[in-house]
Amino acid sequence: MESSVLQFFQWFWNLFGLWDWVWSWFKPLWPLVWVIIKIVVILVPLLLGVAYLTFWERKIIGWMQVRIGPNRVGWWGLMQPIVDGVKLFLKEVILPTKADPWLFFLAPALAMAPAVAVWSVIPFFDGGALANLDAGVLFLLAVTSLGVYGVIIAGWASNSKYPLLGAMRSAAQMVSYEVSMGLALVCVLMVSNSLNLSDIIRSQGQGTFANAGLGFLSWNWLPLLPMFFVYLVSGVAETNRAPFDVVEGESEIVAGHMVEYSGMAFAMFFLAEYANMILVSALVSIFFLGGWLSPFGIFPDGILWLLGKMVLILFVFLWLRATFPRYRYDQIMRLGWKVFVPLCLLWIPVVGIWMMSPFNIWK
Amino acid sequence: MELKTVVFYVFAAIMLFAALRVITARNPVHAVLYLVLAFFNAGGLWLTLQAEFLAIALIMVYVGAVMVLFLFVVMMLDIDIARLRQGFWSNMPLAVTLGVLMAGEMALVLSTDYFGTTSFPDQAMPADYSNTKELGRLLFTAYVYPFELASVILLVAIIAAVVLTLRRRKDVRHLDPAAQIAVKHTDRIRVVKMAAEKEPE
């Protein structure tokens, strides 16, 4: 792919007969430029996806509640996210009087940066990751665990009561659900025998069922069904989405850590939340639904399968929001520590014994 | 100068600055955040040593979990800087003694050849060398007993911490989720069949 992009540039500059001159000073910069091109190719669809995910969410929840949803701006309301973005961009950013000015504006950036940085290790198709890290899963866990700082610092720096309560809740909730997420991933790592995300996907394309042409039965969701459930629910909790949105529960603490933010500073938190949703959907697809692999042996693999699975998981996210009432705070803690963690701890030896037994289906 | 050396000095400089600010920052929350920055740069330094597993584990465990809880506690503190600075000079001699002692110990370890720190082998590993796999193999073969022992000690510490701080309060209303789920509608309401109107007398 790199060479065809280079060929395009060569063709373009040769129209002016300048290729040799351009290349002579451009060559040392090319590796950097190539990485930046790849980052742009990943980030622009991501941000567009975030914009239209908000639109889709409002539409879906509208339909589920027998309403129409946004339909005024553009055809079928399709311009709504763009207009929302422009509105947020033009709003004044307010700094509360006794807030900590440095940390107050550092917080939205700290929320946004991990949500974007993690995408560097996501493999979109075979060999299609920005960085094919050997310890990709660890990198992912490490960087996603940094997202909580944005919320905590926002809550403290605002110097206000509701944000502080939101920050406290978020700190406890995110640390708790990271434990069950990590333990659920241990089972995935055991059966795929690798920390590399691409290898984890490839290992799901092997085994008894995949060799019979029924790839979707050999993906991790079926043999590790309880872990699939734990990971999906923990993912919802980790992104502070309904029914686990006590961090910003509007009926209890207004908007939690975002109360004092306005304009683009607020939009950064909003972007980070939706980028994290898309990320969790991508991770569930990679760890449990076979990533870019096609469900049947007769279809070719490709990025479209990954996108389709992500859309499916995102729909589940929105569906959950329209369906379930918010959990009470102690119920969230109980579910994380007393249900999910023991379930994971039980399932790890089960998988270990299964792998050592003659009924091993992963060979 | 190699790029690696430049990276090392950048990480080291930021780390030293952050560590200095941890003890000089007036606001405890700022101090904790500087400590996070110091951990982050320590992780970066380990990455330059090709210890990617340890580096990422440092960020994951310390920055991602321990410091979050630390921040959690510090944010709840009632910060009164004037009271914090009380008794600074009376504690000074003890602090200086401890500091000099620690610096002396570190100098002893780092300056002698006994620990082999002055002749550290600079091994370049092949590209497909997996740090994580090697570490796992060592932990579960050569060091399996120390490893398991350490985990048992940690488990005991966790349980001890829970038991020491656990106090069952009698005056708190406690809800048992299992009992809540087991409730039937007949336990809660009684449907009484009766005529909608009073019979005319």
Side-chain angles (χ1 to χ4, degrees):
Chain A
M1 199 182 286
E2 189 174 353
S3 60
S4 50
V5 174
L6 265 181
Q7 268 170 12
F8 169 76
F9 278 121
Q10 192 169 6
W11 169 81
F12 177 76
W13 286 107
N14 265 336
L15 292 180
F16 313 103
L18 286 172
W19 172 246
D20 291 330
W21 179 76
V22 168
W23 188 240
S24 62
W25 60 265
F26 194 60
K27 195 160 185 270
L29 285 176
W30 172 248
L32 184 69
V33 173
W34 176 235
V35 169
I36 291 174
I37 290 176
K38 285 197 278 193
I39 291 175
V40 169
V41 167
I42 292 174
L43 280 193
V44 169
L46 174 68
L47 293 178
L48 273 180
V50 166
Y52 277 92
L53 181 59
T54 63
F55 172 72
W56 192 37
E57 173 172 36
R58 291 166 71 180
K59 273 285 187 198
I60 293 270
I61 294 180
W63 288 330
M64 285 187 179
Q65 296 168 347
V66 206
R67 293 185 284 112
I68 296 171
N71 68 340
R72 293 285 108 182
V73 192
W75 307 273
W76 306 292
L78 272 176
M79 293 300 284
Q80 186 71 43
I82 313 291
V83 175
D84 285 346
V86 171
K87 186 194 89 172
L88 283 170
F89 201 76
L90 295 177
K91 289 251 173 181
E92 183 187 357
V93 177
I94 297 166
L95 177 69
T97 319
K98 293 192 95 179
D100 189 316
W102 283 91
L103 293 182
F104 188 78
F105 291 118
L106 182 69
L110 275 183
M112 188 69 198
V116 174
V118 182
W119 286 90
S120 57
V121 290
I122 302 292
F124 296 96
F125 48 90
D126 207 342
L130 180 65
N132 192 13
L133 277 193
D134 228 8
V137 175
L138 283 174
F139 175 85
L140 208 144
L141 286 173
V143 175
T144 48
S145 66
L146 299 182
V148 66
Y149 279 101
V151 177
I152 300 185
I153 293 176
W156 185 79
S158 301
N159 202 1
S160 170
K161 292 182 184 65
Y162 287 133
L164 190 65
L165 281 174
M168 292 288 128
R169 289 178 171 198
S170 139
Q173 182 178 328
M174 285 183 141
V175 169
S176 308
Y177 278 87
E178 251 159 41
V179 175
S180 51
M181 258 181 145
L183 284 173
L185 281 186
V186 169
C187 289
V188 175
L189 302 183
M190 280 166 77
V191 300
S192 55
N193 202 12
S194 173
L195 283 171
N196 183 313
L197 290 169
S198 302
D199 285 346
I200 287 175
I201 294 178
R202 276 187 216 111
S203 76
Q204 293 180 59
Q206 296 156 2
T208 315
F209 291 113
N211 296 339
L214 293 170
F216 70 102
L217 289 178
S218 110
W219 298 343
N220 284 333
W221 70 272
L222 187 60
L224 303 178
L225 192 60
M227 295 302 104
F228 174 53
F229 180 73
V230 167
Y231 192 84
L232 187 62
V233 177
S234 304
V236 178
E238 190 77 0
T239 48
N240 295 329
R241 291 286 303 175
F244 298 96
D245 58 345
V246 290
V247 172
E248 46 192 282
E250 50 280 282
S251 57
E252 298 164 17
I253 51 173
V254 194
H257 57 284
M258 297 184 284
V259 168
E260 304 290 347
Y261 285 87
S262 61
M264 275 317 278
F266 168 76
M268 292 277 269
F269 282 112
F270 206 70
L271 283 175
E273 177 179 337
Y274 282 81
N276 273 326
M277 270 172 78
I278 302 181
L279 175 76
V280 168
S281 72
L283 292 182
V284 172
S285 313
I286 287 169
F287 288 131
F288 293 97
L289 297 176
W292 66 71
L293 297 175
S294 76
F296 299 101
I298 49 171
F299 297 121
D301 301 333
I303 186 171
L304 284 179
W305 291 112
L306 178 68
L307 294 180
K309 289 162 188 170
M310 283 166 63
V311 167
L312 196 75
I313 303 290
L314 283 173
F315 177 72
V316 172
F317 266 75
L318 306 183
W319 190 8
L320 287 177
R321 176 166 175 194
T323 310
F324 287 114
R326 183 176 297 133
Y327 263 92
R328 212 172 53 217
Y329 188 69
D330 61 312
Q331 290 170 328
I332 291 183
M333 285 295 128
R334 180 179 165 274
L335 184 71
W337 287 105
K338 291 189 178 172
V339 179
F340 282 175
V341 171
L343 185 66
C344 294
L345 289 178
L346 180 76
W347 204 251
I348 290 170
V350 167
V351 171
I353 293 168
W354 191 359
M355 286 178 71
M356 287 299 153
S357 74
F359 304 106
N360 187 344
I361 57 166
W362 291 283
K363 282 199 172 142
Chain B
M1 200 156 52
E2 252 187 299
L3 179 68
K4 206 169 155 185
T5 322
V6 178
V7 170
F8 169 80
Y9 279 116
V10 170
F11 277 133
I14 299 177
M15 186 175 159
L16 282 180
F17 167 75
L20 201 67
R21 290 295 290 152
V22 171
I23 51 171
T24 55
R26 284 175 167 235
N27 192 325
V29 173
H30 291 181
V32 172
L33 290 173
Y34 275 115
L35 189 55
V36 170
L37 184 64
F39 274 129
F40 211 85
N41 285 286
L45 282 182
W46 285 5
L47 268 184
T48 60
L49 288 173
Q50 301 186 344
E52 79 266 8
F53 179 82
L54 289 178
I56 298 177
L58 178 78
I59 302 224
M60 202 161 80
V61 174
Y62 281 92
V63 179
V66 174
M67 293 315 288
V68 171
L69 296 178
F70 216 85
L71 200 58
F72 188 101
V73 174
V74 170
M75 274 176 9
M76 301 296 272
L77 293 177
D78 184 17
I79 300 164
D80 180 358
I81 293 173
R83 203 156 49 81
L84 279 180
R85 298 175 79 82
Q86 257 175 22
F88 177 79
W89 289 108
S90 60
N91 288 330
M92 194 66 179
L94 181 65
V96 168
T97 317
L98 284 178
V100 169
L101 208 64
M102 279 163 68
E105 282 174 347
M106 276 193 270
L108 272 178
V109 171
L110 292 176
S111 63
T112 52
D113 205 31
Y114 180 73
F115 294 96
T117 44
T118 46
S119 57
F120 199 70
D122 185 22
Q123 290 169 315
M125 293 299 179
D128 61 339
Y129 174 82
S130 173
N131 203 289
T132 318
K133 211 168 245 174
E134 283 309 310
L135 205 63
R137 186 165 291 139
L138 271 183
L139 276 184
F140 284 96
T141 54
Y143 296 101
V144 64
Y145 292 120
F147 179 66
E148 298 289 341
L149 211 62
S151 62
V152 170
I153 292 172
L154 280 175
L155 186 66
V156 169
I158 293 171
I159 295 172
V162 172
V163 168
L164 283 177
T165 55
L166 183 72
R167 51 194 183 110
R168 290 195 183 281
R169 288 178 58 181
K170 291 276 186 249
D171 54 336
V172 176
R173 288 215 297 168
H174 176 70
L175 297 173
D176 181 10
Q180 284 181 310
I181 293 168
V183 164
K184 293 192 174 54
H185 71 276
T186 49
D187 300 344
R188 293 290 165 88
I189 54 166
R190 187 167 54 90
V191 180
V192 182
K193 286 235 187 291
M194 57 189 291
E197 294 169 12
K198 254 187 184 173
E199 295 285 321
E201 310 239 334

